[in-house]
Amino acid sequence: MLSLHKTPLALLLLTTLVTFLAYSTVGIAKPLDTIQWLDVIAEGGTALMAGLWLLMTLSSRPRGKVTYLLAAGMGLIMLGAWSDCMDEFYRVGKEQGWDHWLEAIFTLGGMLVLTAGLYFWRHEQLSLNQHLQKRERLFRDHRAFDRLTQLVDANYLRRLIAMEQERHPQVSNCVALLDINSFHVLNRDHGVAEGDRALQAVAHMLLLNLSNQDVLCRYAGDRFAIYMPAITIADAQKKIDHLCTMVAQMHFYAQNQQVQISLRAVCSEALEELDVLLARLEPLDQKAVFSEATETVVRLSPTTVYS
């Protein structure tokens, strides 16, 4: 994204060059044996790190007020440290004193602008938290997000269940697995790209019909997992029934041809270790026989499987 920010980068480079020229033309170069090299390393290193933060910010964000406030704050802090570093190489007469003002204005101004940027960044994060409300819970790990569906993965689900059990061991929580019927047929007949679109469509439909406290994840392939905290198994099964119904009623078109998408699902209380729980959910593939044309929901209680 650095190509989107050529103007601020050019402005920063120009200001850095002008600052260097101001010190080198007005100031008097100090003898090398009088230079405090430890100060040079510290102040120059501060300028280098602030510049690196600036590049990382611009390379990971689009244009906008928050982006430019953060970048401007870091850029001014960089220039303040750069001016302080130049002061180690050049001596400016005390009667001028502009060098001290320059360092103070750059550094203090950078702190103020960066603080304003962080303030608006906080509001931006609150909005993003609402957007991710059904995709994460308790903690955030960007490595856990699936690029296709923008949902967390199975490892995130494992950590989430462990944390919830540790926080509230007596609360009834449920987890469900949902699998798309005959997904391989869709991929075979319409191509992998249309299959990916179908996964995204199902993910969006599930998100629209989940409560804010639920967490949806892409467990593997065409299988999704839903974590439902503070809910009984009976209510969880009703919710899964509703989700399967909504997906079955969804109109999905692959290459201008309407394709019927249906789900099969299992649901259980999340009271055990996740690996044990998932082993008990395997009847989804082993014991259930499903029609490719109709929707079927399989419920798994703590002790009995029904189909």
Side-chain angles (χ1 to χ4, degrees):
M1 287 191 180
L2 283 177
S3 59
L4 299 175
H5 308 291
K6 294 180 180 178
T7 300
L9 289 173
L11 184 60
L12 177 65
L13 182 60
L14 177 62
T15 308
T16 304
L17 181 61
V18 168
T19 303
F20 171 74
L21 291 176
Y23 275 93
S24 61
T25 56
V26 177
I28 301 174
K30 294 181 180 180
L32 292 179
D33 57 350
T34 64
I35 295 176
Q36 300 293 325
W37 291 105
L38 183 60
D39 291 343
V40 171
I41 294 174
E43 294 157 2
T46 301
L48 181 63
M49 293 306 297
L52 181 60
W53 298 340
L54 170 65
L55 291 176
M56 292 174 65
T57 300
L58 293 180
S59 65
S60 60
R61 293 182 57 89
R63 297 173 180 173
K65 178 174 67 174
V66 175
T67 299
Y68 288 137
L69 283 174
L70 293 174
M74 295 173 189
L76 288 171
I77 292 173
M78 170 190 162
L79 291 173
W82 173 248
S83 299
D84 205 10
C85 184
M86 289 294 97
D87 195 40
E88 300 296 329
F89 291 96
Y90 299 96
R91 181 181 296 108
V92 178
K94 293 184 178 180
E95 67 279 2
Q96 298 188 40
W98 58 266
D99 56 328
H100 298 296
W101 281 102
L102 192 65
E103 296 169 17
I105 291 173
F106 278 152
T107 304
L108 180 59
M111 292 288 186
L112 293 175
V113 174
L114 182 59
T115 300
L118 290 173
Y119 172 80
F120 289 109
W121 172 79
R122 177 179 178 274
H123 286 276
E124 180 183 81
Q125 286 300 116
L126 292 176
S127 299
L128 290 175
N129 288 345
Q130 291 181 344
H131 175 71
L132 297 173
Q133 195 166 22
K134 299 176 185 179
R135 292 177 168 90
E136 63 183 11
R137 179 180 169 88
L138 298 185
F139 70 100
R140 177 171 296 170
D141 185 353
H142 70 279
R143 298 168 300 178
F145 278 88
D146 171 60
R147 291 188 177 183
L148 177 64
T149 61
Q150 292 299 301
L151 301 175
V152 291
D153 58 17
N155 290 329
Y156 184 99
L157 179 65
R158 287 186 173 88
R159 293 174 60 189
L160 174 61
I161 291 178
M163 292 176 66
E164 288 280 16
Q165 290 175 346
E166 183 178 354
R167 292 174 70 238
H168 305 293
Q170 304 303 322
V171 177
S172 174
N173 304 313
C174 293
V175 64
L177 290 183
L178 300 93
D179 189 78
I180 300 178
N181 284 321
S182 303
F183 184 71
H184 66 285
V185 176
L186 191 154
N187 276 334
R188 183 193 64 198
D189 294 345
H190 301 282
V192 175
E194 292 299 328
D196 290 344
R197 286 187 57 246
L199 287 173
Q200 293 172 333
V202 171
H204 285 303
M205 181 60 69
L206 294 174
L207 286 171
L208 286 173
N209 289 275
L210 286 174
S211 62
N212 289 335
Q213 64 179 356
D214 298 333
V215 177
L216 175 66
C217 89
R218 184 184 181 188
Y219 184 73
D222 61 333
R223 178 175 290 183
F224 297 89
I226 302 174
Y227 178 73
M228 297 166 282
I231 191 173
T232 63
I233 185 66
D235 290 337
Q237 290 172 349
K238 291 179 182 178
K239 182 177 293 188
I240 297 304
D241 283 339
H242 172 72
L243 292 173
C244 291
T245 300
M246 296 305 297
V247 171
Q249 294 176 353
M250 180 178 66
H251 292 269
F252 178 77
Y253 291 87
Q255 299 173 342
N256 296 323
Q257 178 182 352
Q258 184 173 356
V259 176
Q260 180 69 34
I261 298 179
S262 61
L263 300 178
R264 53 185 185 267
V266 287
C267 182
S268 176
E269 293 183 359
L271 296 178
E272 309 172 47
E273 292 294 331
L274 184 59
D275 292 337
V276 178
L277 176 63
L278 293 178
R280 292 175 51 237
L281 292 177
E282 284 307 310
L284 176 66
D285 296 321
Q286 295 176 355
K287 296 184 180 180
V289 178
F290 302 100
S291 168
E292 294 186 359
T294 60
E295 169 198 0
T296 305
V297 179
V298 178
R299 299 186 181 92
L300 179 60
S301 68
T303 56
T304 310
V305 176
Y306 304 94
S307 60

